[in-house]
Amino acid sequence: MNAISETDFNYVRDLVKRVSAIVLEPEKAYLVETRLTPLARKTGFGSLQALLASLRVDGNPRLRHQVVEAMTTHETSFFRDGHPFETLKARILPELLARRSSSQHVAIWCAACSSGQEPFSVAMLAREHFPTLVKGRLRIIATDLSEAILARAREGLYSQIEVNRGLPATELTRYFDRQGLCWRIKPEIRRMVDFQQSNLAGAWPNLPLMDVIFMRNVLIYFGIETKKQILNNVRRALKPDGYLFLGASETTLNLSAAFEPITLGKTTCYQLSQTSSR
Ligand SMILES: C[S@@+](CC[C@H](N)C(=O)[O-])C[C@H]1O[C@@H](n2cnc3c(N)ncnc32)[C@H](O)[C@@H]1O
């Protein structure tokens, strides 16, 4: 594999930043090569260099989109990190249901949901432990930038390796059907999640106010100004007593004064601070 030139790297970096706000540091040049070389082959270009040369000349929107998609990281798993879901089950949902005793409606948004393991984990948890909520009172919306990964999520088909990561055996047998070497999520769980395409760094999606927002392991890819802008939008998307979950290595600290961290069990999540105004 030829090393990518600085000009080619800068072209990809600028394109990815413009479309997705993802920041590619120069030390990620190897990632550009390892992820775009297979795309170059798949799309009939002899090399990564030829693909980028063609893109520069005719700016093919579909190819441009494929390049950006190839540069996004979709790492995820069922019940990732465990404790956020424990806290949702043991503390947050019981508390929200008690507070919403008249409406009993709860809205949860998984922003940057990747191939769907996170929103399906929420859906399985709700069905298992909050059967009354599941009957038309729970709305789970799951969004991602990538149409390709959303297509996978909508299909709800997972390999043995994917279900081995984080999914308890009881949930596997109860909520999945074997399909060849893979496992398909049952329609009753699939139907609980509404998947939509949305760019967190673009026009903000038109969603109802949320009780819980999972926005995990995506802010890490953005620069400081983008993180601030997204958290400012999250502030307006969350109900005054709602909860925000970020990834284990992410924080609102030094980015937004609108949130305060709260520790519930083993989890740190975020609520709007008293002084935060919409
Ligand atoms: C590492 S995955 C995180 C998945 C899941 N939230 C989790 O924690 O397991 C990051 C996801 O963010 C999505 N993403 C990247 N940039 C985005 C953007 N600007 N808007 C929305 N989603 C984005 C990627 O497509 C990818 O699916």
Side-chain angles (χ1 to χ4, degrees):
M1 192 189 292
N2 295 329
I4 188 168
S5 71
E6 196 179 329
T7 315
D8 278 350
F9 173 74
N10 289 346
Y11 175 76
V12 175
R13 182 198 59 195
D14 293 349
L15 171 64
V16 169
K17 174 95 191 291
R18 202 167 54 247
V19 176
S20 68
I22 293 170
V23 175
L24 295 174
E25 304 291 354
E27 58 272 20
K28 293 284 162 68
Y30 75 94
L31 260 189
V32 176
E33 286 184 62
T34 52
R35 293 191 178 176
L36 296 189
T37 302
L39 177 66
R41 284 204 202 99
K42 200 173 102 189
T43 48
F45 293 95
S47 65
L48 168 56
Q49 287 70 20
L51 179 150
L52 295 178
S54 162
L55 203 54
R56 278 203 193 87
V57 175
D58 79 355
N60 180 329
R62 185 174 138 73
L63 190 57
R64 200 186 300 142
H65 194 71
Q66 285 176 299
V67 166
V68 175
E69 293 224 333
M71 291 313 304
T72 54
T73 298
H74 299 301
E75 167 71 17
T76 188
S77 56
F78 288 103
F79 297 97
R80 185 173 185 175
D81 300 334
H83 52 80
F85 297 93
E86 264 308 307
T87 300
L88 186 69
K89 178 181 86 180
R91 301 285 298 271
I92 293 179
L93 283 177
E95 187 186 299
L96 283 174
L97 284 174
R99 276 200 237 129
R100 313 268 187 271
S101 55
S102 53
S103 77
Q104 293 270 307
H105 278 272
V106 171
I108 300 180
W109 177 23
C110 291
C113 65
S114 188
S115 37
Q117 285 90 329
E118 186 176 78
F120 287 143
S121 300
V122 173
M124 285 186 276
L125 181 153
R127 182 160 283 267
E128 192 71 26
H129 302 284
F130 303 90
T132 56
L133 184 62
V134 167
K135 292 201 171 70
R137 297 187 178 131
L138 173 65
R139 180 132 193 238
I140 304 173
I141 297 172
T143 62
D144 201 278
L145 172 75
S146 162
E147 280 291 2
I149 205 71
L150 283 171
R152 271 215 61 204
R154 287 189 186 103
E155 228 190 324
L157 189 64
Y158 298 97
S159 69
Q160 186 68 51
I161 293 175
E162 286 171 316
V163 298
N164 283 350
R165 293 185 63 202
L167 189 66
T170 43
E171 267 75 0
L172 178 63
T173 47
R174 206 165 289 168
Y175 298 119
F176 289 77
D177 292 315
R178 183 120 220 175
Q179 190 166 324
L181 294 176
C182 297
W183 295 87
R184 189 181 291 281
I185 197 124
K186 284 194 191 286
E188 73 214 51
I189 301 294
R190 168 63 196 85
R191 275 196 299 269
M192 289 173 67
V193 183
D194 175 10
F195 289 102
Q196 302 177 15
Q197 197 274 343
S198 176
N199 185 351
L200 290 171
W204 203 247
N206 190 12
L207 299 175
L209 281 181
M210 291 292 156
D211 294 285
V212 181
I213 299 179
F214 279 78
M215 187 175 281
R216 302 194 309 149
N217 305 299
V218 65
L219 289 181
I220 35 167
Y221 299 106
F222 303 138
I224 287 181
E225 287 313 311
T226 309
K227 289 182 196 184
K228 285 184 178 171
Q229 177 208 319
I230 292 174
L231 286 172
N232 193 37
N233 286 331
V234 170
R235 176 176 68 91
R236 287 187 278 116
L238 200 59
K239 285 191 188 158
D241 60 350
Y243 294 87
L244 167 68
F245 284 92
L246 298 177
S249 62
E250 296 164 327
T251 175
T252 61
L253 223 68
N254 300 325
L255 295 169
S256 170
F259 296 93
E260 48 190 47
I262 55 160
T263 302
L264 295 175
K266 287 189 195 154
T267 290
T268 298
C269 51
Y270 299 84
Q271 285 205 288
L272 292 173
S273 47
Q274 297 300 318
T275 52
S276 158
S277 61
R278 278 166 192 276

